[in-house]
């Protein structure tokens, strides 16, 4: 994985965010093990529940293209906030199911960076194994 390229593409995605309500722009990029980069940006809506976060947008796009958790090498999530943004609770739950526990997640706001994993962000995740199905 090319870390600088991954972050660059995430910031490129952030330029496409639609955030007229929060004015908080977020971009994300999934790096796949076969060398592809899949972008996502936050897209807001007046019906707030219809909005989507950048990281879910990118990961859902990867899955829509046939990738699965074993195919994802890393995820970058970037924002234009004064401090590094981290995934919301909904995104953490989604990422806990759609990423390997130790998939690198890189967070940045151009001023600083933080490396983490979904295991660190959501240590006691609820998953399919917890359901009686």
């Amino acid at each position: 994985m090319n870390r600088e390229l991954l972050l660059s593409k995430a910031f490129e995605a952030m330029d496409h965010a639609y955030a007229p309500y929060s004015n908080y722009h977020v971009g994300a990029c999934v790096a796949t093990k076969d060398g592809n980069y899949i972008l996502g940006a936050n897209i807001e809506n007046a019906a707030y529940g219809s909005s989507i976060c950048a990281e879910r947008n990118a990961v859902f796009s990867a899955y829509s293209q046939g990738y699965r958790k074993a195919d994802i090498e890393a995820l970058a999530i970037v924002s234009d906030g004064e401090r590094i943004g981290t995934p919301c609770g909904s995104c953490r739950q989604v990422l806990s199911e759609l990423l390997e526990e130790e998939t690198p997640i890189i967070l940045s706001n151009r001023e600083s960076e933080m490396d983490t994993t979904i295991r660190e962000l959501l240590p006691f995740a609820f998953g399919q194994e917890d359901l009686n199905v």
Side-chain angles (χ1 to χ4, degrees):
M1 169 200 57
N2 181 328
R3 181 186 183 92
E4 301 311 315
L5 181 59
L6 178 61
L7 284 167
S8 173
K9 288 195 170 287
F11 280 111
E12 175 187 325
M14 187 179 77
D15 291 338
H16 301 291
Y18 177 73
Y21 306 101
S22 71
N23 201 34
Y24 186 75
H25 302 90
V26 182
C29 182
V30 169
T32 62
K33 292 180 180 175
D34 65 0
N36 285 316
Y37 293 89
I38 301 167
L39 308 183
N42 62 316
I43 307 296
E44 296 178 349
N45 189 276
Y48 294 140
S50 299
S51 300
I52 187 166
C53 298
E55 53 270 43
R56 277 187 287 146
N57 199 345
V59 172
F60 288 168
S61 291
Y63 269 70
S64 294
Q65 294 175 42
Y67 292 100
R68 294 297 181 259
K69 66 172 68 178
D71 303 312
I72 297 174
E73 186 174 13
L75 171 65
I77 306 167
V78 302
S79 67
D80 60 3
E82 289 184 24
R83 63 183 186 147
I84 291 174
T86 62
C88 70
S90 293
C91 286
R92 290 177 193 217
Q93 180 61 41
V94 167
L95 296 176
S96 75
E97 185 165 336
L98 301 182
L99 296 181
E100 300 284 358
E101 287 185 337
E102 298 304 322
T103 298
I105 299 173
I106 305 165
L107 307 172
S108 179
N109 67 347
R110 292 194 204 272
E111 301 295 319
S112 56
E113 294 177 9
M114 182 175 106
D115 292 357
T116 190
T117 64
I118 194 56
R119 180 192 296 227
E120 292 173 349
L121 291 170
L122 190 62
F124 300 103
F126 177 82
Q128 186 177 15
E129 65 278 359
D130 297 308
L131 300 173
N132 291 324
V133 288

